[in-house]
């Protein structure tokens, strides 16, 4: 009985891949398909490379996309019916995904913008750590600031879409997941260190 079909664009891991189909042409064609899907979702990405990811819901095509026209990539969730969803690599851990094509530094501006949305304008995010999720659907990211000042916990609803709901300075976040643990945040929290804006 047939249990699964795998298109030739993504079948390299099965016995060396397809031999009757030009896999490179198939991959290029499929990259064009994902470029179109991403564009329709409002994400400007010329897909240079992609990798299929496990779907958490039936009937949804999930891929990580590397873009030739930008340094930050994303996860695309493309259902057979309904609206597509784009999750940038900074927020991918909240949706239980991890990007491998995008350098962490390229994803940090998105988290910096999350802080700015709550008037935390002095922190340029230099590092991040996914802390975890609660039973009521909240997720937390710890972020460190490039200037070495105390960082923050950013609280999100998992969505879709993923939405920022709160920003908490590290000194006030000790009761969440054990508090801030990124090295620069630990150093900034020591006695005598300057405090971040509340």
């Amino acid at each position: 009985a047939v249990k699964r079909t795998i298109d030739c664009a993504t079948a390299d891991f099965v016995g060396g891949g397809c031999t009757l189909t030009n896999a490179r042409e198939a991959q290029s064609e499929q990259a064009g398909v994902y470029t179109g899907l991403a564009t329709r979702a409002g994400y400007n990405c010329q897909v240079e490379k992609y990798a299929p990811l496990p779907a958490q819901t039936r009937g949804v095509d999930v891929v990580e996309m590397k873009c030739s026209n930008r340094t930050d990539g994303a996860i695309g969730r493309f259902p057979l019916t309904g609206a597509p969803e784009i999750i940038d690599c900074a927020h991918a851990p909240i949706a239980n995904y991890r990007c491998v094509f995008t350098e962490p530094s390229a994803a940090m501006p998105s988290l910096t913008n999350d802080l700015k949305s709550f008037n935390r304008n002095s922190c340029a995010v230099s590092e991040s750590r996914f802390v975890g999720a609660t039973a009521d659907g909240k997720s937390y990211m710890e972020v460190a600031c490039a200037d070495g000042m105390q960082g923050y916990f950013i609280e999100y609803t998992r969505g879709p879409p993923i939405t920022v709901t709160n920003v908490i300075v590290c000194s006030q976040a000790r009761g969440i997941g054990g508090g801030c643990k990124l090295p620069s945040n630990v150093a900034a929290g020591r006695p005598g260190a300057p405090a971040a804006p509340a």
Side-chain angles (χ1 to χ4, degrees):
V2 176
K3 294 183 178 180
R4 182 183 178 193
T5 59
I6 305 166
D7 65 59
C8 285
T10 58
D12 286 351
F13 69 95
V14 183
C18 294
T19 57
L20 301 179
T21 297
N22 187 320
R24 182 165 296 186
E25 286 182 8
Q27 289 166 359
S28 297
E29 182 180 339
Q30 193 66 21
V33 170
Y34 289 131
T35 296
L37 289 170
T39 299
R40 285 197 285 278
Y43 181 65
N44 180 21
C45 175
Q46 297 294 319
V47 178
E48 172 187 341
K49 190 176 180 181
Y50 65 91
L53 298 173
Q56 298 164 355
T57 307
R58 263 190 161 180
V60 179
D61 190 14
V62 182
V63 293
E64 180 188 354
M65 298 175 290
K66 179 181 180 182
C67 312
S68 62
N69 60 323
R70 58 194 298 167
T71 56
D72 58 324
I75 305 294
R77 294 203 288 204
F78 305 117
L80 294 175
T81 59
E85 181 187 9
I86 300 295
I87 305 167
D88 65 46
C89 286
H91 299 99
I94 297 172
N96 296 322
Y97 293 110
R98 183 174 67 90
C99 292
V100 296
F101 297 148
T102 296
E103 291 294 328
S105 58
M108 295 302 106
S110 180
L111 298 175
T112 298
N113 289 334
D114 288 346
L115 293 176
K116 288 180 178 178
S117 72
F118 270 72
N119 295 317
R120 305 300 196 270
N121 299 313
S122 63
C123 178
V125 175
S126 59
E127 194 177 359
S128 69
R129 175 180 75 93
F130 178 61
V131 178
T134 61
D136 60 357
K138 294 176 182 175
S139 294
Y140 293 90
M141 297 279 289
E142 178 191 356
V143 298
C145 304
D147 60 7
M149 298 289 281
Q150 194 175 167
Y152 299 89
F153 267 26
I154 308 176
E155 179 186 282
Y156 300 89
T157 56
R158 296 187 69 181
I162 294 169
T163 307
V164 183
T165 53
N166 200 7
V167 171
I168 307 161
V169 68
C170 279
S171 60
Q172 298 172 1
R174 294 188 179 96
I176 305 172
C180 290
K181 296 179 180 178
L182 291 173
S184 60
N185 287 338
V186 172
R190 291 181 183 133

